[in-house]
Amino acid sequence: MSPLWYQANPGARLDHVTTTTSPSAARTAVPVVDHTRPALGSLGLFTVLLGAALPLIDFFIVNVALPTIDHDLNAGPAMLELVVAGYGLAYAVLLVLGGRLGDQFGRRRLFLAGMAAFGLTSLACGLAPDAWTLVGARVAQGAAAALMLPQVLATIHSSTSGARHARALSLYGATAGLAMVAGQILGGVLVAADVAGTGWRSIFLVNVPVALVGLVLAARSVPETRSDRPAPVDLPGTLLLALALLTLLAPLTEGRAAGWPLWTWVALAVFPFAAGAFWWVEVRADRAGRTPLVPPSLLGLVSLRRGLAVVLPLSLGFSGFMFVIAISLQQGLAMGAVASGLALVPMAVAFFGASLAGPRLIGRWGATRVVPAGAVFQALGIGLLAWTVACGWPGLSVWSLLPGMAVAGLGQGLQLPVLFRVVLSEVPAERAGVGSGVMVTTQQSALALGVATLGSLFLSLGSSPADMGSALTTTLLVQLGVVALTLLLSLRLPSKN
């Protein structure tokens, strides 16, 4: 096929080009291009991955800045928890709704709106004059992230296919994992740099020019996609899902800092009833022929259901680890923000390398071997870190942590990108927004649970710097048990992915 044909059809997708022949033209192949679905080019993929990175970076970037925020705004422990939890709660609660809105009104349109809102709310965070204003701006920032992020996977899922689809999902997984690690590295660098005297505010203000660039690129390179049969918003399901997530995540994230007041126990008691009511409403809507917020039939997909079962403990352990490491290195070992960030570089490098190798490894060995192998490597890395901490505290350095960090990062990189591909492998294109929203909500809820559970365990055991060594060792051993659960669940993944 001549180069001129490609120049005249720049949006043509190579994996949708077929040939037809007739008896009179047996030697002439005529290209027939499927234009029914828009193609996501390289620049468009970069742009949506940028949109995927920003919310995850901002979930973790705050960890290293919390001591400075506390000093500057006189926030106190409970308020600092709200700075982290407010973002995570709004993010988790609204993600599925964000996916549904993208299906209905257009994913590119919602991506642009979410990117613009994320830039504005980041500016509000950076200019916050007091702690309560910062908490409010963080809640709004989480809502903006929930509007933007589901459109990323839905756009990839509906505008790529074949090898391009597999590679795009692998890059998404690599981006997600790197963003979580890079958030704390970048946060440490920005806080230490004190750009123009902005201190901790720079971790939010840096999002503003990035969002502006993202808006320009998205307007030019991201195709518009939407569901062929958009469904109306499921208001009862949305409200009940929000109630269920709030009654679980709010008390777990705020309970320890607030001293476990009565409202935390009441909320936890309400959670099972809210979750049960949500599921009942969704089942009834599905049976009545309506489109619920989370269709139970979607959970009937084996790859999605079993993939989510692995994503949950993997994300829980990862977020708890990142939170605990940030506190241990800065408060327990008195490392600076930059040094504590540099300790995570081996993990980021190993994660990225494993993520890029993922598609080739799956092609050769399959997800049922790659993901369990990743869990084994992660277990070795966490175990090595626990042994290093137990034997070397408080004389640890960045170099002594390097082997364990690298091996753990390698294991995580072999799991997370592959799991994203597994979860969405059977989701039809017209339900891409719902499927993406369900997956990212599961991941985000697990991230919040990890901070709440492993973080609370660590803080309860390590109330002073002298106790943090043994507290970190114990927490790492508990995480090792979570990794073992991940390994067992990964053995049930479907082999055809």
Side-chain angles (χ1 to χ4, degrees):
M1 196 171 295
S2 72
L4 291 177
W5 184 85
Y6 288 111
Q7 293 174 16
N9 298 273
R13 297 175 56 200
L14 301 183
D15 48 358
H16 279 238
V17 176
T18 60
T19 61
T20 59
T21 61
S22 66
S24 61
R27 297 183 180 180
T28 305
V30 180
V32 178
V33 184
D34 181 6
H35 290 289
T36 58
R37 295 171 65 189
L40 183 67
S42 298
L43 183 60
L45 179 60
F46 170 80
T47 303
V48 295
L49 291 180
L50 177 66
L54 282 176
L56 289 170
I57 286 175
D58 265 58
F59 184 88
F60 289 93
I61 200 171
V62 177
N63 286 346
V64 295
L66 288 176
T68 313
I69 294 174
D70 186 17
H71 179 269
D72 193 18
L73 299 183
N74 193 25
M79 193 64 68
L80 291 177
E81 291 276 358
L82 280 176
V83 170
V84 178
Y87 177 87
L89 287 172
Y91 192 8
V93 165
L94 298 174
L95 270 167
V96 177
L97 178 61
R100 174 61 59 83
L101 292 175
D103 285 350
Q104 185 170 3
F105 297 107
R107 293 155 189 151
R108 176 176 174 271
R109 180 181 300 177
L110 268 293
F111 181 83
L112 288 168
M115 180 72 78
F118 194 84
L120 290 174
T121 52
S122 295
L123 179 63
C125 289
L127 299 178
D130 53 58
W132 277 112
T133 304
L134 178 59
V135 170
R138 284 283 285 172
V139 171
Q141 190 186 33
L147 198 64
M148 175 172 58
L149 188 60
Q151 319 315 327
V152 175
L153 275 173
T155 298
I156 291 173
H157 196 54
S158 59
S159 59
T160 61
S161 63
R164 294 177 62 197
H165 182 69
R167 180 165 179 77
L169 285 179
S170 294
L171 288 173
Y172 175 87
T175 300
L178 278 175
M180 290 187 263
V181 179
Q184 292 189 192
I185 298 174
L186 179 61
V189 171
L190 289 174
V191 170
D194 193 20
V195 181
T198 54
W200 61 267
R201 299 178 187 275
S202 60
I203 68 174
F204 300 116
L205 296 176
V206 71
N207 292 331
V208 178
V210 176
L212 289 174
V213 171
L215 284 171
V216 173
L217 293 178
R220 299 184 59 182
S221 63
V222 176
E224 182 63 282
T225 63
R226 67 183 71 201
S227 174
D228 294 333
R229 296 185 298 273
V233 173
D234 175 14
L235 185 59
T238 301
L239 294 176
L240 285 171
L241 177 62
L243 179 63
L245 290 175
L246 282 171
T247 53
L248 175 65
L249 297 179
L252 288 179
T253 52
E254 277 295 294
R256 187 199 61 81
W260 297 103
L262 178 62
W263 72 264
T264 59
W265 299 108
V266 172
L268 288 172
V270 169
F271 165 69
F273 296 99
F278 168 72
W279 187 250
W280 180 75
V281 166
E282 299 299 273
V283 170
R284 281 179 57 88
D286 212 11
R287 290 175 178 173
R290 300 189 299 272
T291 305
L293 187 69
V294 180
S297 57
L298 195 66
L299 298 179
L301 300 175
V302 175
S303 58
L304 183 138
R305 186 176 66 251
R306 294 185 181 179
L308 289 180
V310 184
V311 168
L312 185 62
L314 177 62
S315 299
L316 185 151
F318 184 75
S319 66
F321 171 82
M322 297 295 287
F323 179 78
V324 166
I325 282 293
I327 296 177
S328 298
L329 297 184
Q330 289 193 81
Q331 297 185 6
L333 297 179
M335 285 188 182
V338 174
S340 62
L342 288 176
L344 297 172
V345 170
M347 177 176 285
V349 172
F351 188 104
F352 187 67
S355 300
L356 294 182
R360 293 192 299 274
L361 294 174
I362 291 179
R364 183 172 182 180
W365 302 106
T368 51
R369 294 184 180 180
V370 173
V371 177
V376 170
F377 276 110
Q378 186 185 8
L380 291 174
I382 296 298
L384 182 56
L385 283 172
W387 179 81
T388 303
V389 171
C391 296
W393 189 277
L396 295 178
S397 66
V398 171
W399 293 108
S400 61
L401 295 172
L402 190 152
M405 289 286 189
V407 176
L410 175 65
Q412 290 160 353
L414 290 175
Q415 295 176 84
L416 194 60
V418 178
L419 287 171
F420 288 153
R421 177 177 172 179
V422 170
V423 169
L424 296 177
S425 61
E426 296 179 340
V427 178
E430 65 270 13
R431 305 176 87 179
V434 177
S436 303
V438 170
M439 188 186 75
V440 180
T441 298
T442 302
Q443 181 194 22
Q444 184 61 36
S445 301
L447 291 177
L449 277 173
V451 174
T453 54
L454 293 181
S456 295
L457 171 65
F458 171 78
L459 292 173
S460 63
L461 296 174
S463 55
S464 66
D467 300 326
M468 285 189 180
S470 59
L472 178 57
T473 303
T474 302
T475 306
L476 288 172
L477 292 176
V478 172
Q479 189 192 353
L480 198 58
V482 176
V483 176
L485 175 62
T486 303
L487 173 61
L488 292 175
L489 292 172
S490 67
L491 296 175
R492 301 183 67 248
L493 291 174
S495 58
K496 189 178 179 180
N497 284 290

